Every structure is written in structure tokens, then in C-alpha cells.
Amino acid sequence: MTGDIPNLAPVAAASALLRAGAPAGEVLKLMEPRDGLLNSGQVANAEVVSLKQLGQDFQLLLKLTMDNGRQTTLPVSSTLPLTPGTNVNVAQDSANTLTIGMQDLQRAIANSLTSIDTRQLPAGTLLQGKVLTTQVAAQNVAQLAGQPASSGTTQPTNYRSIVMLLNTALAGSSLTLDSAQPLRVGSLLSAQVQSSQALNFVAMPNRLDELALAQQLSTQQSRQGSLQSLLTALQNLPAPSGDNADNLPTSLRASIDQLLADLPDLQQMTTAKGVAQALNASGLFMESRLLAGQNPTLVPDMKANLLRIVAQLLPGLPDNVSYNAAAAANTLARAMPSVIRNALGTLGLVAAPSVPINFPLPSRTLGHPDSKDDLETLLKLAAGAISRLQSHQLGGLEQTRTNTDGTQVTTWQLEIPMRNAHDIVPLQVKLQREDAPEREDTPETAPQQAREKEKLWRVELAFDLEPLGPLQVQAQLIAGNLSSQMWAQREGAAELISAELDNLRARLVACGLNVKELACNRGTPAQGPRTVLEQRWIDENA
């Protein structure tokens, strides 16, 4: 979308209200009544941590610091948008309200920029930001004061928005601007500086989603932890009764037992129905079920089980800011803009397609291996396991694309922990389907089997199964023709597997497949894009 931002609202709303004779101060309504939070006459410093628009009102998350240094977080509603990072002094009038004085209110609203210093950001500078709020702008001071506008005059509707800047030296600052069209709350925009009072929207590059996805994937991978670490810790928890009982709440213990009971065993993974059930319960489809209006807790779903365990672990943690749920949400809200900012900052600098995520994901242990399995450790392991599942999901999205020849590539990446006696064996899976574009010479009445011949399936597996050790499998299937390569890292494992390939070929043929190639190699497959040379232009041995 292209368009103009005519000016940057040089008059702040609080100043206009003051001149119009509006009541001094601003009353904040507490989302949850807190009687006795502040004593009579006591004033506390409040920092605005986050801002969210709800209709014509705004929800703020405040961090209050008392005189004794004690801190607490409070969600409140306000009629005015106060930007994150703003500091004000508040007093408590009742269990449901806090009050901000007019001087603090003026200073708070002035915290949002209403003009651009062109010495710092010269004309032509590209600004990128996220829309926090959008309202119909008051046409004059009388309207700000609630008085009717003069009759006989019709002014065009303007919209006033607060935008959080994501790049340049002003990253993290908020900008108040007016526009002829409403800006969607939560949307990302890109604009060029024209003057101190004017910006010009520019079209967002098509690669924005890809860059943001790549950056988010990098962040998720830095937080992820192996599923095996969590599942092993849950398996080793003491029994509910006895001298060494863990004293876990009944609901948490039930959720842990359900998670472990839903894990498939190796026998189940030898049947097509068992594999389909394991794929469906891997957590890969939890979000799609939610979008379809389904309840993911009604069917086995690993990600839903993990989220339930995390929700049940949080209340049992020490009541301090490090493990406070509101503080954790606040930290995430403040960290997310930097994620998008880093992605936006690379616009125009990245022309080549992004390198796909490496497969398989490496194992990663969170915390010290000798630490006891207390609630804090379990929470850390569960959060790392959720990040690992999300890394797989984002990795599949990153590799879903349309090639230049029109071929649509769809990728699903997931991880299935399997029970092998008393051990947990994580199976990493990547499925990729290539749909060739429809040819004009293929009639619509052609049989389904003829159209299916255009589909190419690729399957990659990675697991560590004793006594063979780490194994990787790559296979591709098109029109009933199967080719596969395997890699074993342990000495002797490749030879042992190679000796059984004839039996595997016979079983695949019995399933109706035409097996072209089966081979097992020592080592690991090459990572990244590979180019197959059909012929050599220069003889290196000449």
C-alpha cells in the first residue's frame, strides 16, 4: 500500500484537554480490585510496560515501585494511550482506581514524538514501525473537550495513531501521527521521511514474512531443548506415594501421566495406522485445530499436553518477579519488537533465498545435568521442549515455497518421541511434497492417478536407536518409484544395515512399490543445497 501521512500532530491531546478546561488528571481503572495497594496520601512510581488497544479504550500493564522498593505489576484500563517506557506517579483513590496528576499526564503523553529531527533522520530515511493504537482524531479543541463542532462545516476524517519505531537510532520510541486512512492495530508499516512533519508510506517487500520467520526461527532455536531431556526427567519422578514422593498436585501428575501414556512405542510405528496416529498427535497440527474451532485437548496432542503442564507448573513456583506470569508476558511483549526490528533491518540487504533450517535439529540439554528435578527445572525443560516443537513447525514453514517454474513445495517438519523399552527415542521427521504446475495438455477429466504422477514426495528421518546409533534416512517417491539412501555414524552399523537391504527391498516390493535404489553409507548426509552435475565441462585428470 502506498500513501501519505500529511503531518505528525504537533499538538498533543493532553495540552488540548488542558486548554479546553477538561478535568485534571486521568483515572485508571484496575482490571482486578486491589484494596490497600497504596495508603492514603502515598504516591508510587508507575512505569508503562505495554499498551494494547481495546475498542476506544486502552489496556496498560504498569510496573509499580513502592517507597520500600517493593514492585508489582498491574493491568489497568485508560481512556488515553500511554506509551511503553513512560513513567508517572500514581495515587489510589479506591480499590478499583488509580489517579495520575495533570502534570504527570502532560509529561506522559508528550513522551510520544510529534515531529522528526531531520538532523538525526534526514529526508529519505526509511522508518519501520508497528502500529500500537489507532483512533479517529479530534477535529478541534472543542471536540476534545466533548463540545459539539460548529454547524455548517464538514471536515475530512483523520485518524491518529501511535507507532512504535523498530529501526534507526529511535528504535523503541513511539511516534504520534495523523493519516487520512486508519492504520490497522498490530500491523507493520514502512515509510520514508519527507520532512519533520511528513512521511510517505512505501510498499512492504514480499520478503518481509520470510525475514521475520527466519529471525523468529533463530530465536526459537536458541531457546529450544531436547524432548528427551524433559521426558526422561518426567519418567524419573518419584512415585506419588512413598518416602520420596514428589508431592506434585494431582492435576499436574495426571497431565504428566497422560503425556507419557500418549507416546507411541516401536511396535506401533511399524504399522501405517500407528504412524498416522503418531503424526497426528505430534503437536504439529495444534494451531490448525484451534483455527478450525476444535479443542486440541480432546485428542492426543503433545504440544497441548506440554502447554497444560507449563500452566500447572507456574502456580507452584516461588512468588517473585522472575517467575511471575505477568512479568513473563511483559518480558515477551518487550522482546518481540526487537525480533521484528532485526528482521526489518535486513530489508534490501538480502537478495538470495534464505538457507533452510538444518535437519535434523541438534540435541540440546538445558540446565545443569546434576540439578534436581524440582518445579523450576521441569518448567525450564518443558519450555525448551515447546520451543523445539515450534522450531520444527517454523522450519517447515520456512521451506514451504513456490519455485520459479511454478512448482509448489510444501514441507512438514516434526518430532515424535518413541518408547523403546525404558528408553525414549526421538524420531525427527521431514515430509516434503512437490506439486508440479498443471500442464495445458492435461485435460481436467484425466484420471486422478495420472495427476498424482506429478507429485514428488521426499521423506527424511533421523533417530538414535541402540545398538545401531545415530541414523538418517532420505527417500523420495514419485509415481510408485522409490529411491532411498541411509547413513549410519557408528563403525559397523552401515555394514550391518547393508546386509539387510535385500530383506527391506522385498518388503517394500510386497507393498506395491517399485524400488529403484537402496544404499547405506557411513557418516552423515551433506547439509544445505546440493547441485547434481550431469556432466563435466573440464576433465580434471587431463
Side-chain angles (χ1 to χ4, degrees):
M1 179 185 76
T2 59
D4 293 326
I5 305 174
N7 61 71
L8 297 179
V11 180
S15 300
L17 281 170
L18 182 63
R19 293 198 302 270
E26 167 72 2
V27 176
L28 307 177
K29 294 182 180 180
L30 293 169
M31 306 299 291
E32 298 178 359
R34 294 286 296 272
D35 193 13
L37 179 67
L38 297 175
N39 297 326
S40 177
Q42 184 181 5
V43 176
N45 176 264
E47 178 188 356
V48 180
V49 174
S50 65
L51 167 66
K52 181 180 181 181
Q53 183 169 354
L54 299 174
Q56 294 301 310
D57 292 329
F58 306 92
Q59 182 175 323
L60 311 176
L61 183 64
L62 301 181
K63 182 172 70 174
L64 264 64
T65 303
M66 315 298 181
D67 292 338
N68 59 6
R70 185 171 63 90
Q71 293 184 339
T72 185
T73 54
L74 293 172
V76 300
S77 63
S78 170
T79 59
L80 294 176
L82 304 182
T83 57
T86 299
N87 282 278
V88 294
N89 292 321
V90 298
Q92 187 174 21
D93 289 341
S94 69
N96 298 304
T97 61
L98 298 174
T99 302
I100 303 175
M102 176 52 75
Q103 289 184 348
D104 276 346
L105 185 60
Q106 286 182 279
R107 187 172 61 253
I109 296 184
N111 190 55
S112 183
L113 300 174
T114 57
S115 64
I116 292 177
D117 185 354
T118 53
R119 294 171 300 179
Q120 190 175 16
L121 300 178
T125 301
L126 181 66
L127 294 179
Q128 290 134 2
K130 181 178 181 180
V131 181
L132 297 181
T133 69
T134 294
Q135 285 183 303
V136 176
Q139 302 302 316
N140 48 46
V141 173
Q143 287 180 332
L144 279 173
Q147 302 173 11
S150 302
S151 59
T153 60
T154 302
Q155 299 182 8
T157 302
N158 281 341
Y159 296 88
R160 179 160 298 166
S161 303
I162 295 179
V163 177
M164 180 70 72
L165 297 180
L166 303 177
N167 69 338
T168 73
L170 298 179
S173 303
S174 60
L175 182 66
T176 299
L177 53 85
D178 288 350
S179 61
Q181 299 293 330
L183 304 179
R184 183 168 57 85
V185 174
S187 62
L188 300 175
L189 59 83
S190 185
Q192 267 188 330
V193 176
Q194 288 188 320
S195 67
S196 63
Q197 293 290 317
L199 302 174
N200 181 56
F201 283 120
V202 297
M204 297 293 275
N206 293 332
R207 287 185 51 76
L208 172 63
D209 289 342
E210 298 178 25
L211 293 170
L213 177 61
Q215 183 64 35
Q216 178 66 8
L217 179 57
S218 174
T219 304
Q220 286 289 350
Q221 289 195 73
S222 68
R223 293 196 294 253
Q224 61 92 14
S226 299
L227 292 173
Q228 192 171 11
S229 300
L230 170 66
L231 297 174
T232 300
L234 295 179
Q235 278 188 316
N236 294 334
L237 287 175
S241 60
D243 295 336
N244 296 322
D246 53 25
N247 296 321
L248 294 178
T250 304
S251 59
L252 176 58
R253 168 60 70 175
S255 297
I256 293 174
D257 292 343
Q258 185 64 51
L259 173 66
L260 296 175
D262 288 341
L263 299 180
D265 55 23
L266 289 181
Q267 184 63 31
Q268 176 183 334
M269 298 298 288
T270 60
T271 65
K273 181 180 179 180
V275 171
Q277 291 174 342
L279 293 175
N280 196 46
S282 66
L284 179 65
F285 308 106
M286 191 195 80
E287 288 80 3
S288 61
R289 292 192 181 102
L290 289 173
L291 288 174
Q294 302 174 11
N295 187 349
T297 62
L298 299 180
V299 294
D301 189 285
M302 177 175 294
K303 193 173 183 182
N305 289 340
L306 288 174
L307 290 171
R308 186 186 302 110
I309 289 175
V310 167
Q312 293 170 340
L313 282 170
L314 282 173
L317 293 172
D319 187 16
N320 58 55
V321 70
S322 300
Y323 304 107
N324 183 275
N330 161 31
T331 301
L332 180 61
R334 301 188 69 176
M336 280 304 295
S338 65
V339 173
I340 304 172
R341 177 170 68 249
N342 292 336
L344 288 168
T346 58
L347 292 176
L349 302 179
V350 182
S354 58
V355 178
I357 178 177
N358 287 335
F359 181 88
L361 291 183
S363 60
R364 185 166 182 261
T365 301
L366 298 177
H368 195 276
D370 296 331
S371 61
K372 59 181 180 178
D373 295 327
D374 53 14
L375 294 184
E376 178 184 340
T377 301
L378 290 179
L379 178 63
K380 182 183 296 185
L381 294 175
I386 294 173
S387 290
R388 187 172 182 89
L389 295 181
Q390 291 173 333
S391 295
H392 282 296
Q393 291 176 298
L394 292 171
L397 288 175
E398 187 185 42
Q399 298 170 79
T400 297
R401 63 190 183 275
T402 301
N403 294 334
T404 55
D405 61 355
T407 301
Q408 176 64 44
V409 181
T410 307
T411 306
W412 299 269
Q413 191 167 311
L414 60 147
E415 190 163 353
I416 303 173
M418 305 179 298
R419 285 185 284 111
N420 181 25
H422 297 291
D423 298 329
I424 301 294
V425 180
L427 171 65
Q428 297 191 50
V429 183
K430 184 168 78 172
L431 300 172
Q432 199 167 66
R433 186 185 70 194
E434 293 187 9
D435 296 290
E438 294 185 2
R439 297 198 303 262
E440 295 181 358
D441 56 350
T442 302
E444 296 183 358
T445 56
Q448 179 67 23
Q449 184 178 5
R451 293 196 294 269
E452 286 291 333
K453 290 184 178 180
E454 301 296 325
K455 296 184 185 297
L456 169 64
W457 287 90
R458 289 191 174 92
V459 180
E460 294 189 44
L461 307 175
F463 53 97
D464 188 345
L465 184 63
E466 293 295 337
L468 298 176
L471 299 173
Q472 291 191 51
V473 180
Q474 292 182 357
Q476 67 177 29
L477 174 68
I478 183 170
N481 297 314
L482 175 71
S483 299
S484 179
Q485 291 275 345
M486 307 179 195
W487 286 264
Q489 296 185 26
R490 286 187 183 175
E491 183 177 358
E495 291 77 6
L496 179 61
I497 295 174
S498 296
E500 297 294 330
L501 289 181
D502 288 340
N503 293 331
L504 177 59
R505 181 186 295 271
R507 296 183 65 177
L508 293 172
V509 170
C511 293
L513 297 174
N514 181 20
V515 181
K516 295 292 186 181
E517 179 186 9
L518 280 180
C520 186
N521 311 288
R522 171 78 187 283
T524 59
Q527 296 286 350
R530 296 179 295 276
T531 303
V532 179
L533 299 178
E534 299 296 337
Q535 65 182 32
R536 295 184 183 272
W537 290 97
I538 300 176
D539 188 348
E540 297 176 350
N541 298 321

